[in-house]
Amino acid sequence: MLKFALAGNPNSGKTTLFNALTGSTAHVGNWPGVTVDKREGTYKKGAEPIGIVDLPGIYSLSPYTPEEVISRNFLLSDEINGIINIVDATNLERNLYLTTQLMELGVPMVIALNMTDVLDKQGDKIDVRALERRIGYPVVEISALKGTNVDDLMEKATEAIKTKRVGETVLKDSLLGSAIANAEIALKLKGVYAPLFHAVKLVEKDEIEVKSHPEEAKAVEAFIQANAGGREIDTEAEIADARYKYITSRFSTTLTRARKLDYNELSKSNKADKVLTHKWFGIPIFLIILFAVFHLTFSENVLYLGSIIPSFGEWCGQEGSVAKGIFFGDGLNSPGVILFNALDLLTSKIGEWMGMGLEGLGAHEAVVGLVCDGVWGGISSVLSFLPQILVLFLFFSILEDSGYMARVAFMLDRIFRRFGVSGRAFMPMIMGFGCSVPAMINTRTMADQKEREATVRVIPFFSCGAKMPILLAIAGGIVEKFGIGNADIITYSMYLLGMVVAMLSLLIMRNTTMRGEASPFIMELPIYHMPGFKNLMLHLWDKAKHFIQKAFTIILVSCVIVWFLSNFGWAWNYVGENMDQSILASIGKLIQPFFTPLGFGSQLSSTGWVFAVAALTGLIAKEDVIATFGTLAGCLMAGFEVSGALEEGVEEVIVMITSTGISIPALLAFIAFNMLTIPCFAAVATAKAEIGKGKFKWTLLFWIFTSYLVSTMVYTIGEFWWTSFIWASVAIITTIAIVLYNKKADKKGKV
Ligand code: GDP
Ligand code: MG
């Protein structure tokens, strides 16, 4: 199979093109450095299937960053037949800098001139034919986002590999031209692959190159010295300069800029930035946007209309009607809640029908229990949260794709630095709200190893989609059962708690066990643009698919297991409603005391072990926590009259609250514990792979310790307010200890 590599600057649209060509749904962000590993797919619309490899974005082929090393090694391997070089047309000169280096490889190449839709909008023009003539490689104008001309591009690419290429350099006539030519001959004689590329790198005194050809390096050095006439030459700077000079003199003339600069997007971007990245208002604006997002996803009282307008309730239809149930809570429901209610209505109806069907067929009590409570109860209590997860995810995608999140990273860099990490950590953190696994992988863009490890550790604290059902069901349960607070405020503050704990942990780690300065953060800001609808939908579909798959595989299996363990005793006797005598109950009771300081241990009544068991199943998948409630509540429910109109998940939590007598602080501690403790299997495996085996046990310990400590604090302060004094003094003593430790460590460092 033919294989092409996509190479280009960060944010030039490589992944968007990759997705357009292969129909895959890889993560696209208006954010440099999103793709940190190479990714492969297949283009199937041509005469024969063609392999496509998406590489991390790079500005050059030097070996300075992990991205550069990955891309360079791959481009130099003989795995590919050709290169598709993506050039962002709105940034022509800067993008061509990489192109001039790719030309030196001597590999067939086509240039995909991307973002031509933006170019058109700005009114700028590129003389493509002139550009093509001067570069000597085919150029195809495309828009990866809209899918314009991408098939044409592939046709040209398959055409291009039919002619063999030798490397060409734009540095021929520069000061170092003859040194490069000599080095090329020497390397060619040695039989080196892509000799011209290596020759240029040798002249540049590139570390990797000098190491692999030490003798030639010496000869080149001597040659340059001899020609320089005693002058000191910084060859790297000289070469970079020569490239830019060549580009501006030869290619800039192919670009005609529109006159009316103040009407183009760039200046619109600048205007928006005056407000959005304002020195003082920037971060408060971000927090408000974040709250608005949560409000639109979780609130049952949009804009607090229900509280502001007293007669609001009367307009919203009959109590108990379907419309009221779906659209109106305490006021107007948010889009997230509306979708949630609609799906919930459906899943509970399906559950009822299944129950009636089975009973009609005369099935045994245990079978009905397994199917309706065990399996469907568990799965549906998780599935009903899918709409809200998708809505939240949609908002995040929009913020990211528009280019706003990249700015937030910049604003936060100032603050992050105080906590010992750079603004680069922000992207993985935000991805963590979706899922910890890709987020942990994304930390590879961070140059400093210790900084990176510390970030991997705190990523699970940015509560992922799978943890959302825990938050929502319990927040819903608290609101319903105790009649206080708004669900969106509880959720928002629990998310905030996670973030605060993450930042404090970073601060402590970076000042004790993982001491170090934050690495510098340099990134080019992308201009704002409208997110592509198709792109967003692909993203959401991907998320939904993953979630549903998980629900019907891992969660289904766990539900069946939990159901069996909770319905049978050690002697394999069916215990039915006497769940207290089940296997699960005895296991739960064994670990229950461990949670006593957190408020959901021994102090609860005889059914209190369910919380311990739920936390345990969360280690498999976090959705399992609520799914377990769903399964167990089915058994406990028999003795309860729960008012009909409640949502799935919330209903189960209410059963749990009532039967165990758990308090609000303990419920909050329960959320905190599940949010901060060891994440699911998949995340644990990823963290292990990213951090390395040896240090991993400390990471596990860190998660257990942090979750236990914070949850105990949440519970004790909530239950006995005066304990806040004790916690405050512990915090002060810890701070003093750390400061003293650092003074000592600094002194040692100096000697
Ligand atoms: P990568 O870093 O090179 O992989 O770039 P991405 O594929 O992640 O894209 C960066 C940003 O540019 C995203 O916000 C894309 O939606 C946007 N983008 C990519 N191609 C185009 C295009 O042809 N036109 C426009 N207007 N935007 C694009
Ligand atoms: Mg990418």
Short mmCIF file of all heavy atoms in Angstrom, two decimals, residues 428-437 439-440 443 452-467 471 494-495 497-499 501-502 505 509 622 671-680 682-687 691 696 699-700 702-703 706-707:
data_model
loop_
_atom_site.label_atom_id
_atom_site.label_comp_id
_atom_site.label_asym_id
_atom_site.label_seq_id
_atom_site.Cartn_x
_atom_site.Cartn_y
_atom_site.Cartn_z
N PRO A 428 -3.75 19.65 28.39
CA PRO A 428 -4.07 18.33 28.94
C PRO A 428 -5.14 18.40 30.04
O PRO A 428 -6.00 17.53 30.13
CB PRO A 428 -2.75 17.84 29.53
CG PRO A 428 -1.70 18.70 28.99
CD PRO A 428 -2.31 19.91 28.40
N MET A 429 -5.09 19.45 30.84
CA MET A 429 -6.07 19.56 31.91
C MET A 429 -7.48 19.67 31.35
O MET A 429 -8.41 19.04 31.83
CB MET A 429 -5.76 20.78 32.78
CG MET A 429 -4.55 20.58 33.67
SD MET A 429 -4.12 22.12 34.49
CE MET A 429 -2.71 21.59 35.43
N ILE A 430 -7.64 20.52 30.33
CA ILE A 430 -8.95 20.69 29.73
C ILE A 430 -9.42 19.39 29.07
O ILE A 430 -10.56 18.99 29.18
CB ILE A 430 -8.92 21.84 28.68
CG1 ILE A 430 -8.89 23.18 29.41
CG2 ILE A 430 -10.09 21.78 27.74
CD1 ILE A 430 -10.17 23.50 30.13
N MET A 431 -8.47 18.71 28.41
CA MET A 431 -8.84 17.44 27.80
C MET A 431 -9.29 16.44 28.87
O MET A 431 -10.10 15.57 28.62
CB MET A 431 -7.66 16.86 27.02
CG MET A 431 -7.42 17.56 25.71
SD MET A 431 -5.89 17.00 24.95
CE MET A 431 -6.48 15.75 23.84
N GLY A 432 -8.74 16.61 30.08
CA GLY A 432 -9.09 15.74 31.19
C GLY A 432 -10.58 15.78 31.53
O GLY A 432 -11.13 14.80 32.02
N PHE A 433 -11.24 16.89 31.25
CA PHE A 433 -12.68 16.96 31.49
C PHE A 433 -13.42 15.97 30.59
O PHE A 433 -14.51 15.53 30.91
CB PHE A 433 -13.22 18.36 31.24
CG PHE A 433 -12.85 19.33 32.33
CD1 PHE A 433 -12.25 20.53 32.04
CD2 PHE A 433 -13.11 19.03 33.66
CE1 PHE A 433 -11.91 21.42 33.04
CE2 PHE A 433 -12.78 19.91 34.66
CZ PHE A 433 -12.18 21.11 34.35
N GLY A 434 -12.83 15.67 29.44
CA GLY A 434 -13.43 14.65 28.58
C GLY A 434 -13.04 13.28 29.06
O GLY A 434 -13.87 12.50 29.51
N CYS A 435 -11.75 12.99 29.02
CA CYS A 435 -11.25 11.68 29.43
C CYS A 435 -9.77 11.81 29.78
O CYS A 435 -9.02 12.47 29.07
CB CYS A 435 -11.43 10.68 28.28
SG CYS A 435 -10.68 9.07 28.62
N SER A 436 -9.37 11.18 30.87
CA SER A 436 -7.98 11.30 31.33
C SER A 436 -6.99 10.65 30.37
O SER A 436 -5.84 11.05 30.31
CB SER A 436 -7.80 10.63 32.69
OG SER A 436 -8.59 11.25 33.65
N VAL A 437 -7.43 9.64 29.63
CA VAL A 437 -6.48 8.88 28.82
C VAL A 437 -5.80 9.74 27.74
O VAL A 437 -4.57 9.87 27.75
CB VAL A 437 -7.14 7.62 28.23
CG1 VAL A 437 -6.22 6.93 27.26
CG2 VAL A 437 -7.52 6.67 29.36
N ALA A 439 -5.74 12.87 27.63
CA ALA A 439 -5.15 14.01 28.33
C ALA A 439 -3.75 13.67 28.83
O ALA A 439 -2.81 14.45 28.68
CB ALA A 439 -6.03 14.44 29.49
N MET A 440 -3.61 12.48 29.39
CA MET A 440 -2.29 12.08 29.90
C MET A 440 -1.31 11.93 28.75
O MET A 440 -0.14 12.28 28.87
CB MET A 440 -2.40 10.76 30.66
CG MET A 440 -3.04 10.92 32.03
SD MET A 440 -3.30 9.29 32.75
CE MET A 440 -3.90 9.76 34.37
N THR A 443 0.28 15.18 27.55
CA THR A 443 1.32 15.84 28.34
C THR A 443 2.70 15.68 27.69
O THR A 443 3.65 16.30 28.12
CB THR A 443 1.44 15.26 29.76
OG1 THR A 443 1.69 13.86 29.65
CG2 THR A 443 0.19 15.51 30.56
N ARG A 452 6.03 17.19 33.75
CA ARG A 452 5.10 16.34 33.05
C ARG A 452 4.50 15.29 33.98
O ARG A 452 3.28 15.07 34.00
CB ARG A 452 5.85 15.67 31.91
CG ARG A 452 4.98 14.83 31.12
CD ARG A 452 5.62 14.41 29.82
NE ARG A 452 4.78 13.35 29.37
CZ ARG A 452 5.19 12.15 29.01
NH1 ARG A 452 6.46 11.89 28.97
NH2 ARG A 452 4.32 11.25 28.69
N GLU A 453 5.33 14.65 34.78
CA GLU A 453 4.84 13.63 35.68
C GLU A 453 3.85 14.20 36.68
O GLU A 453 2.81 13.61 36.97
CB GLU A 453 6.00 13.00 36.44
CG GLU A 453 6.69 11.92 35.66
CD GLU A 453 7.94 11.44 36.37
OE1 GLU A 453 7.96 11.46 37.62
OE2 GLU A 453 8.89 11.11 35.67
N ALA A 454 4.21 15.36 37.21
CA ALA A 454 3.31 16.00 38.17
C ALA A 454 1.97 16.28 37.52
O ALA A 454 0.91 16.09 38.12
CB ALA A 454 3.94 17.29 38.68
N THR A 455 1.99 16.70 36.25
CA THR A 455 0.74 17.01 35.56
C THR A 455 -0.08 15.74 35.33
O THR A 455 -1.29 15.74 35.54
CB THR A 455 1.03 17.71 34.22
OG1 THR A 455 1.93 18.79 34.46
CG2 THR A 455 -0.23 18.24 33.59
N VAL A 456 0.58 14.65 34.94
CA VAL A 456 -0.13 13.39 34.74
C VAL A 456 -0.86 13.00 36.03
O VAL A 456 -2.02 12.59 36.00
CB VAL A 456 0.84 12.25 34.33
CG1 VAL A 456 0.17 10.90 34.41
CG2 VAL A 456 1.35 12.49 32.91
N ARG A 457 -0.20 13.18 37.15
CA ARG A 457 -0.82 12.81 38.42
C ARG A 457 -2.11 13.58 38.71
O ARG A 457 -3.04 13.03 39.28
CB ARG A 457 0.15 13.08 39.56
CG ARG A 457 1.20 12.03 39.69
CD ARG A 457 2.03 12.32 40.89
NE ARG A 457 3.07 11.32 41.02
CZ ARG A 457 3.99 11.35 41.98
NH1 ARG A 457 4.00 12.34 42.86
NH2 ARG A 457 4.90 10.41 42.05
N VAL A 458 -2.13 14.85 38.38
CA VAL A 458 -3.31 15.64 38.75
C VAL A 458 -4.40 15.64 37.69
O VAL A 458 -5.50 16.11 37.94
CB VAL A 458 -2.96 17.10 39.12
CG1 VAL A 458 -1.99 17.13 40.28
CG2 VAL A 458 -2.43 17.86 37.93
N ILE A 459 -4.11 15.09 36.51
CA ILE A 459 -5.13 15.09 35.45
C ILE A 459 -6.46 14.45 35.88
O ILE A 459 -7.52 14.99 35.61
CB ILE A 459 -4.58 14.48 34.15
CG1 ILE A 459 -3.75 15.54 33.44
CG2 ILE A 459 -5.69 14.01 33.23
CD1 ILE A 459 -3.05 15.06 32.21
N PRO A 460 -6.42 13.31 36.61
CA PRO A 460 -7.71 12.73 37.01
C PRO A 460 -8.56 13.67 37.90
O PRO A 460 -9.76 13.48 38.02
CB PRO A 460 -7.30 11.48 37.80
CG PRO A 460 -5.95 11.15 37.31
CD PRO A 460 -5.30 12.45 36.98
N PHE A 461 -7.93 14.68 38.50
CA PHE A 461 -8.70 15.60 39.34
C PHE A 461 -9.59 16.51 38.50
O PHE A 461 -10.48 17.17 39.01
CB PHE A 461 -7.78 16.45 40.22
CG PHE A 461 -6.94 15.64 41.17
CD1 PHE A 461 -5.92 16.22 41.89
CD2 PHE A 461 -7.18 14.28 41.35
CE1 PHE A 461 -5.14 15.48 42.77
CE2 PHE A 461 -6.41 13.53 42.22
CZ PHE A 461 -5.38 14.13 42.92
N PHE A 462 -9.29 16.59 37.20
CA PHE A 462 -10.17 17.34 36.31
C PHE A 462 -11.22 16.35 35.88
O PHE A 462 -11.03 15.54 34.98
CB PHE A 462 -9.38 17.92 35.14
CG PHE A 462 -8.38 18.92 35.61
CD1 PHE A 462 -7.14 18.54 36.08
CD2 PHE A 462 -8.72 20.27 35.67
CE1 PHE A 462 -6.24 19.46 36.59
CE2 PHE A 462 -7.82 21.19 36.15
CZ PHE A 462 -6.58 20.80 36.61
N SER A 463 -12.32 16.41 36.58
CA SER A 463 -13.33 15.36 36.55
C SER A 463 -13.78 15.01 35.14
O SER A 463 -14.26 15.86 34.40
CB SER A 463 -14.50 15.86 37.38
OG SER A 463 -15.42 14.86 37.52
N CYS A 464 -13.62 13.74 34.76
CA CYS A 464 -13.90 13.32 33.39
C CYS A 464 -15.38 13.02 33.17
O CYS A 464 -16.17 13.00 34.11
CB CYS A 464 -13.09 12.09 33.03
SG CYS A 464 -13.66 10.59 33.84
N GLY A 465 -15.74 12.78 31.93
CA GLY A 465 -17.13 12.52 31.57
C GLY A 465 -17.74 11.36 32.33
O GLY A 465 -18.91 11.39 32.70
N ALA A 466 -16.93 10.35 32.61
CA ALA A 466 -17.45 9.17 33.28
C ALA A 466 -17.79 9.45 34.74
O ALA A 466 -18.61 8.77 35.35
CB ALA A 466 -16.43 8.04 33.20
N LYS A 467 -17.15 10.49 35.30
CA LYS A 467 -17.44 10.80 36.70
C LYS A 467 -18.67 11.68 36.82
O LYS A 467 -19.20 11.88 37.91
CB LYS A 467 -16.24 11.51 37.33
CG LYS A 467 -15.04 10.60 37.51
CD LYS A 467 -13.86 11.36 38.05
CE LYS A 467 -12.64 10.46 38.08
NZ LYS A 467 -11.40 11.21 38.32
N LEU A 471 -21.53 12.89 40.02
CA LEU A 471 -21.82 14.26 40.43
C LEU A 471 -23.29 14.59 40.27
O LEU A 471 -23.93 15.11 41.18
CB LEU A 471 -21.06 15.20 39.50
CG LEU A 471 -19.70 15.60 39.98
CD1 LEU A 471 -18.88 16.14 38.82
CD2 LEU A 471 -19.89 16.70 41.00
N MET A 494 -18.11 21.34 42.87
CA MET A 494 -17.33 20.11 42.97
C MET A 494 -16.24 20.09 41.90
O MET A 494 -15.12 19.65 42.14
CB MET A 494 -18.21 18.86 42.86
CG MET A 494 -19.09 18.61 44.07
SD MET A 494 -18.30 18.85 45.67
CE MET A 494 -17.57 17.26 45.96
N TYR A 495 -16.58 20.55 40.69
CA TYR A 495 -15.56 20.66 39.64
C TYR A 495 -14.45 21.59 40.11
O TYR A 495 -13.27 21.32 39.94
CB TYR A 495 -16.16 21.21 38.35
CG TYR A 495 -16.64 20.15 37.39
CD1 TYR A 495 -17.92 19.63 37.46
CD2 TYR A 495 -15.80 19.65 36.40
CE1 TYR A 495 -18.37 18.66 36.58
CE2 TYR A 495 -16.23 18.68 35.51
CZ TYR A 495 -17.51 18.19 35.61
OH TYR A 495 -17.93 17.22 34.74
N LEU A 497 -13.60 22.27 43.14
CA LEU A 497 -12.83 21.60 44.19
C LEU A 497 -11.74 20.74 43.57
O LEU A 497 -10.57 20.80 43.97
CB LEU A 497 -13.75 20.73 45.06
CG LEU A 497 -13.01 19.90 46.12
CD1 LEU A 497 -12.57 20.79 47.27
CD2 LEU A 497 -13.87 18.76 46.64
N GLY A 498 -12.11 19.98 42.54
CA GLY A 498 -11.14 19.14 41.84
C GLY A 498 -9.98 19.97 41.32
O GLY A 498 -8.81 19.62 41.48
N MET A 499 -10.31 21.11 40.70
CA MET A 499 -9.27 21.96 40.12
C MET A 499 -8.37 22.55 41.20
O MET A 499 -7.15 22.60 41.04
CB MET A 499 -9.90 23.09 39.32
CG MET A 499 -10.69 22.60 38.12
SD MET A 499 -11.20 24.00 37.09
CE MET A 499 -12.95 23.77 37.04
N VAL A 501 -7.78 21.34 44.19
CA VAL A 501 -6.92 20.28 44.73
C VAL A 501 -5.77 19.99 43.76
O VAL A 501 -4.63 19.82 44.16
CB VAL A 501 -7.73 19.00 45.02
CG1 VAL A 501 -6.81 17.85 45.41
CG2 VAL A 501 -8.74 19.27 46.12
N ALA A 502 -6.08 19.99 42.47
CA ALA A 502 -5.04 19.73 41.47
C ALA A 502 -3.94 20.78 41.57
O ALA A 502 -2.75 20.44 41.62
CB ALA A 502 -5.65 19.73 40.07
N SER A 505 -1.94 20.46 44.75
CA SER A 505 -1.05 19.30 44.70
C SER A 505 0.18 19.61 43.86
O SER A 505 1.30 19.23 44.22
CB SER A 505 -1.75 18.09 44.07
OG SER A 505 -2.97 17.86 44.69
N MET A 509 3.90 19.36 45.20
CA MET A 509 4.85 18.45 44.56
C MET A 509 6.04 19.20 43.98
O MET A 509 7.18 18.77 44.12
CB MET A 509 4.16 17.68 43.43
CG MET A 509 3.35 16.51 43.91
SD MET A 509 2.83 15.47 42.55
CE MET A 509 1.50 16.38 41.85
N LYS A 622 -15.62 4.58 36.12
CA LYS A 622 -16.27 5.47 37.07
C LYS A 622 -17.79 5.49 36.94
O LYS A 622 -18.50 5.77 37.90
CB LYS A 622 -15.70 6.88 36.95
CG LYS A 622 -14.26 6.99 37.44
CD LYS A 622 -14.13 6.76 38.95
CE LYS A 622 -12.70 6.43 39.30
NZ LYS A 622 -12.48 6.10 40.70
N ILE A 671 -18.58 12.18 46.77
CA ILE A 671 -18.25 12.67 45.43
C ILE A 671 -16.75 12.96 45.36
O ILE A 671 -16.07 12.52 44.44
CB ILE A 671 -19.00 13.97 45.08
CG1 ILE A 671 -20.52 13.77 45.15
CG2 ILE A 671 -18.61 14.46 43.69
CD1 ILE A 671 -21.31 15.02 44.80
N ALA A 672 -16.26 13.70 46.35
CA ALA A 672 -14.86 14.11 46.33
C ALA A 672 -13.96 12.89 46.28
O ALA A 672 -12.98 12.85 45.52
CB ALA A 672 -14.53 14.97 47.54
N PHE A 673 -14.30 11.88 47.06
CA PHE A 673 -13.46 10.69 47.10
C PHE A 673 -13.38 10.04 45.73
O PHE A 673 -12.30 9.73 45.22
CB PHE A 673 -13.98 9.69 48.13
CG PHE A 673 -13.13 8.45 48.22
CD1 PHE A 673 -11.94 8.47 48.91
CD2 PHE A 673 -13.51 7.28 47.56
CE1 PHE A 673 -11.13 7.34 48.97
CE2 PHE A 673 -12.71 6.15 47.62
CZ PHE A 673 -11.52 6.18 48.32
N ASN A 674 -14.54 9.86 45.10
CA ASN A 674 -14.54 9.19 43.80
C ASN A 674 -13.87 10.02 42.72
O ASN A 674 -13.33 9.49 41.75
CB ASN A 674 -15.97 8.86 43.38
CG ASN A 674 -16.48 7.65 44.13
OD1 ASN A 674 -15.99 6.56 43.94
ND2 ASN A 674 -17.41 7.88 45.04
N MET A 675 -13.93 11.33 42.89
CA MET A 675 -13.35 12.22 41.90
C MET A 675 -11.82 12.20 41.99
O MET A 675 -11.12 12.32 41.01
CB MET A 675 -13.86 13.63 42.16
CG MET A 675 -13.84 14.51 40.98
SD MET A 675 -15.07 15.80 41.20
CE MET A 675 -14.05 17.11 41.73
N LEU A 676 -11.30 12.08 43.22
CA LEU A 676 -9.87 12.27 43.42
C LEU A 676 -9.09 10.98 43.58
O LEU A 676 -7.87 10.98 43.51
CB LEU A 676 -9.63 13.14 44.66
CG LEU A 676 -10.28 14.51 44.66
CD1 LEU A 676 -10.06 15.19 46.01
CD2 LEU A 676 -9.72 15.38 43.56
N THR A 677 -9.79 9.88 43.79
CA THR A 677 -9.03 8.66 44.08
C THR A 677 -8.51 8.01 42.81
O THR A 677 -8.61 8.58 41.72
CB THR A 677 -9.88 7.69 44.92
OG1 THR A 677 -9.01 6.75 45.51
CG2 THR A 677 -10.91 6.98 44.06
N ILE A 678 -7.95 6.84 42.94
CA ILE A 678 -7.41 6.12 41.78
C ILE A 678 -8.44 6.13 40.65
O ILE A 678 -9.59 5.76 40.86
CB ILE A 678 -7.10 4.66 42.16
CG1 ILE A 678 -6.15 4.64 43.35
CG2 ILE A 678 -6.53 3.90 40.97
CD1 ILE A 678 -5.86 3.25 43.87
N PRO A 679 -8.06 6.57 39.47
CA PRO A 679 -9.03 6.62 38.37
C PRO A 679 -9.32 5.23 37.83
O PRO A 679 -8.89 4.23 38.42
CB PRO A 679 -8.32 7.48 37.33
CG PRO A 679 -6.87 7.34 37.62
CD PRO A 679 -6.75 7.11 39.09
N CYS A 680 -10.04 5.16 36.72
CA CYS A 680 -10.44 3.85 36.20
C CYS A 680 -9.23 3.08 35.67
O CYS A 680 -8.15 3.63 35.50
CB CYS A 680 -11.47 4.03 35.09
SG CYS A 680 -10.77 4.76 33.61
N ALA A 682 -8.36 2.10 32.70
CA ALA A 682 -7.72 2.61 31.49
C ALA A 682 -6.77 3.76 31.83
O ALA A 682 -5.65 3.82 31.33
CB ALA A 682 -8.77 3.08 30.51
N ALA A 683 -7.22 4.65 32.70
CA ALA A 683 -6.39 5.81 33.06
C ALA A 683 -5.17 5.36 33.86
O ALA A 683 -4.07 5.90 33.68
CB ALA A 683 -7.21 6.81 33.85
N VAL A 684 -5.36 4.37 34.72
CA VAL A 684 -4.23 3.88 35.51
C VAL A 684 -3.16 3.29 34.58
O VAL A 684 -1.98 3.59 34.70
CB VAL A 684 -4.70 2.80 36.52
CG1 VAL A 684 -3.52 2.08 37.14
CG2 VAL A 684 -5.55 3.45 37.61
N ALA A 685 -3.62 2.51 33.60
CA ALA A 685 -2.66 1.90 32.67
C ALA A 685 -1.92 2.98 31.88
O ALA A 685 -0.70 2.90 31.69
CB ALA A 685 -3.39 0.97 31.72
N THR A 686 -2.65 4.01 31.46
CA THR A 686 -2.01 5.08 30.69
C THR A 686 -0.99 5.82 31.55
O THR A 686 0.13 6.08 31.11
CB THR A 686 -3.06 6.09 30.19
OG1 THR A 686 -4.12 5.37 29.60
CG2 THR A 686 -2.46 7.05 29.18
N ALA A 687 -1.38 6.15 32.77
CA ALA A 687 -0.46 6.87 33.65
C ALA A 687 0.80 6.06 33.86
O ALA A 687 1.91 6.59 33.84
CB ALA A 687 -1.14 7.17 34.99
N ILE A 691 4.35 7.54 32.93
CA ILE A 691 5.26 7.91 34.01
C ILE A 691 6.43 6.95 34.11
O ILE A 691 7.54 7.34 34.45
CB ILE A 691 4.49 7.94 35.36
CG1 ILE A 691 3.53 9.13 35.35
CG2 ILE A 691 5.45 8.08 36.54
CD1 ILE A 691 2.71 9.25 36.59
N PHE A 696 5.66 4.62 39.56
CA PHE A 696 4.22 4.59 39.51
C PHE A 696 3.57 4.31 40.85
O PHE A 696 2.50 4.81 41.15
CB PHE A 696 3.76 3.58 38.46
CG PHE A 696 2.29 3.60 38.28
CD1 PHE A 696 1.68 4.72 37.75
CD2 PHE A 696 1.50 2.55 38.68
CE1 PHE A 696 0.31 4.78 37.59
CE2 PHE A 696 0.14 2.60 38.54
CZ PHE A 696 -0.45 3.71 38.00
N THR A 699 2.62 7.28 42.58
CA THR A 699 1.45 7.93 42.01
C THR A 699 0.17 7.32 42.59
O THR A 699 -0.75 8.03 42.98
CB THR A 699 1.48 7.81 40.48
OG1 THR A 699 2.70 8.37 40.02
CG2 THR A 699 0.31 8.51 39.84
N LEU A 700 0.13 5.99 42.66
CA LEU A 700 -1.03 5.33 43.26
C LEU A 700 -1.25 5.81 44.69
O LEU A 700 -2.36 6.15 45.10
CB LEU A 700 -0.83 3.81 43.28
CG LEU A 700 -1.12 3.06 41.99
CD1 LEU A 700 -0.86 1.59 42.19
CD2 LEU A 700 -2.57 3.29 41.57
N PHE A 702 -0.21 8.52 45.99
CA PHE A 702 -0.60 9.93 45.96
C PHE A 702 -2.11 10.08 45.77
O PHE A 702 -2.77 10.85 46.45
CB PHE A 702 0.16 10.62 44.82
CG PHE A 702 -0.39 11.97 44.44
CD1 PHE A 702 -0.12 13.08 45.23
CD2 PHE A 702 -1.16 12.12 43.29
CE1 PHE A 702 -0.63 14.32 44.88
CE2 PHE A 702 -1.67 13.36 42.95
CZ PHE A 702 -1.40 14.46 43.74
N TRP A 703 -2.67 9.28 44.84
CA TRP A 703 -4.11 9.36 44.60
C TRP A 703 -4.90 8.93 45.84
O TRP A 703 -5.88 9.57 46.22
CB TRP A 703 -4.50 8.48 43.40
CG TRP A 703 -4.13 9.08 42.08
CD1 TRP A 703 -4.08 10.42 41.79
CD2 TRP A 703 -3.76 8.40 40.89
NE1 TRP A 703 -3.69 10.59 40.48
CE2 TRP A 703 -3.50 9.37 39.90
CE3 TRP A 703 -3.62 7.06 40.53
CZ2 TRP A 703 -3.12 9.05 38.60
CZ3 TRP A 703 -3.25 6.74 39.24
CH2 TRP A 703 -3.00 7.72 38.29
N THR A 706 -4.41 11.62 48.68
CA THR A 706 -5.09 12.89 48.42
C THR A 706 -6.60 12.75 48.56
O THR A 706 -7.25 13.57 49.21
CB THR A 706 -4.76 13.39 47.01
OG1 THR A 706 -3.36 13.31 46.81
CG2 THR A 706 -5.22 14.81 46.81
N SER A 707 -7.15 11.69 47.97
CA SER A 707 -8.61 11.56 48.01
C SER A 707 -9.08 11.36 49.44
O SER A 707 -10.08 11.94 49.86
CB SER A 707 -9.05 10.39 47.14
OG SER A 707 -8.38 9.21 47.52
#
